[in-house]
Amino acid sequence: MTDTRLRTSNNALSGKSGTILRELEIRFVRGEYLFGESLSINALAEEFDASRQPVSMAVSHLRSMGYVTIVPQVGCKVVSPKKSEIADFFYMLGKAEGALTGLAASRWVDDEIDQLQRIEVAISDTEFDTIEHRERYAVAVDSYHYKIHDIARSSRIADWLEGLWRVADFYLWQGTEQGLSSAKLKVANKERRAIIRAIKQRDVSLAESLMESHVNGKPRRVGVI
């Protein structure tokens, strides 16, 4: 059974600022904020019934995570990366995710492939017609990658990569307003199944290359580049 929760980073803040940080990160991962959108510290403070200080602390951490920028005399704005910057991001993410997938191919044990296949089936069975469907689909896809991370047994690298995946989800949601075509969904599902087969066969090189290609294709499939 796949995890139906959106994952957030290990919260570096406590108290009110920690609560605000978690909620705002969930909003970013869900794609509730658009590239270039202005965020008002005062408005957020009023919404969360807080002073400016905890909101400012949360926003400062969001900046370090890559979600927002602080513009002098203007305020806080959601990042607005160029298409080439998004392509570069997914190129590097694909390299790293491919390497971890190669480790998974060499290290899986027991019924871990069966677990991964069940997650893939859940992804394939998820509809993509409403915002709720799309969020469920995104969570299931994240679970697929996180399961591969677990199988790779390299926790430090996996923790680092999961932070990148949250930013990746934020980028990808910018292009999914109209949803993915059934043809593109079928391509993505087919690629995930091929990756599982390569892992099961312990074909490290093939697993790496298939995953790298799969990740590189994500922003194009959703139309964000």
Side-chain angles (χ1 to χ4, degrees):
M1 187 174 182
T2 59
D3 191 346
T4 58
R5 300 164 298 173
L6 285 166
R7 293 197 188 191
T8 56
S9 57
N10 293 327
N11 205 329
L13 301 178
S14 60
K16 193 71 171 181
S17 57
T19 300
I20 295 170
L21 174 61
R22 171 173 165 73
E23 174 58 29
L24 290 178
E25 187 179 9
I26 287 174
R27 293 179 186 181
F28 275 101
V29 175
R30 282 176 173 163
E32 294 183 23
Y33 295 124
L34 300 178
F35 287 163
E37 182 177 344
S38 295
L39 294 180
S40 166
I41 300 296
N42 289 335
L44 289 171
E46 181 177 353
E47 177 186 352
F48 288 106
D49 191 22
S51 66
R52 286 176 54 90
Q53 182 179 14
V55 174
S56 296
M57 291 177 65
V59 168
S60 178
H61 275 267
L62 290 171
R63 180 186 184 186
S64 69
M65 294 174 184
Y67 294 112
V68 302
T69 58
I70 308 299
V71 183
Q73 279 76 55
V74 174
C76 177
K77 299 189 72 172
V78 178
V79 296
S80 185
K82 299 176 183 176
K83 289 185 177 182
S84 60
E85 292 172 328
I86 296 174
D88 289 347
F89 176 89
F90 279 90
Y91 172 79
M92 295 306 300
L93 180 60
K95 290 287 186 182
E97 188 74 7
L100 211 59
T101 304
L103 291 178
S106 66
R107 295 176 178 178
W108 69 267
V109 297
D110 302 329
D111 66 340
E112 288 179 329
I113 298 300
D114 292 337
Q115 295 173 28
L116 192 56
Q117 288 174 328
R118 285 195 291 272
I119 294 172
E120 190 283 320
V121 169
I123 296 171
S124 297
D125 289 345
T126 300
E127 297 180 28
F128 208 83
D129 299 326
T130 67
I131 187 67
E132 291 79 12
H133 289 161
R134 297 200 288 273
E135 183 174 319
R136 196 176 304 130
Y137 180 89
V139 171
V141 169
D142 283 347
S143 295
Y144 171 86
H145 289 283
Y146 295 157
K147 172 51 68 175
I148 290 174
H149 296 178
D150 291 342
I151 297 171
R153 293 176 173 78
S154 184
S155 59
R156 286 180 179 268
I157 301 300
D159 288 345
W160 171 71
L161 265 179
E162 288 188 16
L164 294 182
W165 271 113
R166 284 186 286 275
V167 176
D169 284 341
F170 161 57
Y171 286 169
L172 292 172
W173 272 104
Q174 303 294 315
T176 56
E177 183 178 352
Q178 302 303 320
L180 286 173
S181 69
S182 59
K184 290 181 178 179
L185 286 171
K186 287 179 180 178
V187 168
N189 293 336
K190 182 178 179 180
E191 289 177 355
R192 277 186 285 269
R193 289 192 290 270
I195 291 166
I196 293 174
R197 286 195 298 271
I199 294 173
K200 184 176 183 179
Q201 294 165 1
R202 299 195 186 277
D203 191 330
V204 173
S205 179
L206 181 59
E208 288 181 356
S209 64
L210 288 175
M211 179 59 81
E212 182 178 341
S213 176
H214 177 68
V215 173
N216 271 327
K218 283 177 178 285
R220 292 180 177 83
R221 278 194 294 274
V222 303
V224 77
I225 63 173

